[in-house]
Amino acid sequence: MKKQINKVLLFSIFILAAIISCSNDEDLDTSPPGIVSNISVTATNGGGVIDYTLPLDDDILYVKAVYTNSQGEEVFRVASKYNTSLEVNGLNQTTPVNVKLYVVDESENRSKVAEIDFTPLKSFIFLVQESVVIVPDLGGVKITWDNIASKTVFVYVHILEGADETIRILSSNNAQENIFIRGLPSKELTFSIKVEDFDGNITELEEQGKYTPLFEEKIDKSSWSLVSGQSINGNAYEGRTVNFWDDVVDTVETDADNSYFIATRDNNGGSLNFPLDIVIDFNKNVKIQRFKIWQRAFWYNGGGITYHYQEENIKSFNLYGSTDGQTWNLLGQFDIGDPRDSAGNIPATAFQEAIDGHDFSLATTSDEFRYLKIEITSNYGSTSITVGSEITLFGLDNL
C-alpha cells in the first residue's frame, strides 16, 4: 500500500511540473522585434558611423552590427536602445564593406536582417604615418604626429646604425603627439616608421630619413653656487641646501651619505608656506632638455624602511631659467606623483624609481640660461619640514 502511495505522489509531482513548464512556455516571448529603418552611413577614416531609426517595440535591448574586418575576421559592434547610431571601425580598405544590422530584444529574440554597404575613408593609420616628423634633439630625437581619429596607434620606430637595428614602440591616442626617444648616439642614424591600430591593421615600413641626434652631456655641478637671498634656508640638522647638487645621492642602507637639504618651519620665519624656492647660479650658461631628481632615502627610525614618499619629501615643483637671476622663464611643471594606496602601501616599482632617480623631460630644449630656480610646490603632507636629496641636469654645458 505504501509503495502505491509513493507512486501516486511521484506521478502527481511529474504532472504538476509539466503544467508549470507549459505555463512558462506560454509566457515566453518568442516574437522577434522589428528591423531598423532609415539607415545611413557617414564614412570615417577606417570605419563609419551608421545612423538608423529603431522599430516601435517596447522591449528593445540593443542593436548589433556584424561585418568582416580587413583581417578577414567576422566582428560585431553593439549600441544600446538609447542610441540611434553606432560606429564600425578597424577597417583598412577603400572598398565596400557590407554591414548586417539586427535588433535584439530583452528575450534575446533577433530581428530579421537589415543591410547596408559603404566605403570607408583612408584609414587613420596612414594619415598618422604621413604626418610623422622627426627632429634631432639632445641625446635623441623628437617624434611628432597627428591622429585625427584620436584612436590608439602603435608607432614602430626602426633605428638603423650601420648593420645594427633597434626598434622602439611608441603608443598614444592623443590628437597631437610629441615623444622623445633618448639614449641615442650623436651620429647619423636611419629612421623608418610603420603604424598599427588596435585591430591589427598596419602600414608598410617606410624610411623617414637620416638624422643625427645632438650631443648631450651631464651638466657639471662644480661651479654651482647658492643664491641665498632668493632661497629657502635648507640648513637644518645634518641637512644643507647645497647638498641638493653635491653629486651624492642619499641611500636607504646607511646614514653615511646624509646628502639632502632640510627646510624647516622654524628656520624659515616660522612658516613653511609653498612655494619654496631654491635658486642656483651655475656661473656659466647651459641648455637643458631633461633632468633627474632624487628624494631623501634614509630613515633614522625606520628600521631599514625607506623614507621615499614619506610626508616630508619633495613631491611637485616648477623649474625656471634666467639669464640675469631676476627675470624668470618657466621651463616646466613637474610632479613625482603619489604611488601610495589607501593603506599606505607602495609598489616595489615605485621604490625602484625613487632609488634610480625620477626622470623628467622639458617639452622642448631650453634656451641658454645661467640661473635655475626650483620652486617646490608640495611635499607628501608635512607642514613643518620639506626635504630632497639631489638634482642632475642633462643638456649642453658651459656655452
Side-chain angles (χ1 to χ4, degrees), residues 52-70:
Y52 48 80
T53 299
L54 291 167
L56 297 177
D57 302 70
D58 59 5
D59 61 346
I60 293 171
L61 190 59
Y62 61 86
V63 174
K64 182 177 184 178
V66 180
Y67 60 101
T68 301
N69 68 15
S70 299

Side-chain angles (χ1 to χ4, degrees), residues 153-165:
V153 292
F154 304 94
V155 177
Y156 295 78
V157 184
H158 292 241
I159 307 168
L160 196 63
E161 180 185 351
D164 297 326
E165 184 178 57

Side-chain angles (χ1 to χ4, degrees), residues 161-189:
E161 180 185 351
D164 297 326
E165 184 178 57
T166 301
I167 301 174
R168 303 284 184 94
I169 303 175
L170 314 177
S171 179
S172 167
N173 62 1
N174 294 328
Q176 288 86 37
E177 186 58 87
N178 86 58
I179 298 179
F180 291 97
I181 295 180
R182 299 290 182 205
L184 301 180
S186 183
K187 59 174 64 175
E188 187 177 78
L189 306 171

Side-chain angles (χ1 to χ4, degrees), residues 5-17:
I5 292 173
N6 287 341
K7 287 181 180 178
V8 171
L9 182 59
L10 289 172
F11 181 73
S12 299
I13 293 172
F14 173 78
I15 293 298
L16 181 61

Side-chain angles (χ1 to χ4, degrees), residues 15 23 61 73 93 109 140 148 159 169 180 202 217 285 293 307 316-317 333 347 380 382:
I15 293 298
S23 176
L61 190 59
E73 303 164 335
Q93 61 195 76
N109 298 309
I148 64 170
I159 307 168
I169 303 175
F180 291 97
I202 193 164
E217 59 190 322
N285 291 327
I293 200 162
Y307 199 71
S316 64
F317 53 94
Q333 298 174 307
Y380 286 90
S382 175

Side-chain angles (χ1 to χ4, degrees), residues 29-35 57 59 62-66 74 76 100-114:
D29 176 15
T30 59
S31 300
I35 64 172
D57 302 70
D59 61 346
Y62 61 86
V63 174
K64 182 177 184 178
V66 180
E74 184 175 272
F76 67 90
K100 295 178 172 61
L101 296 167
Y102 300 94
V103 179
V104 179
D105 67 18
E106 294 172 356
S107 298
E108 298 187 2
N109 298 309
R110 192 172 75 169
S111 72
K112 292 182 179 179
V113 67

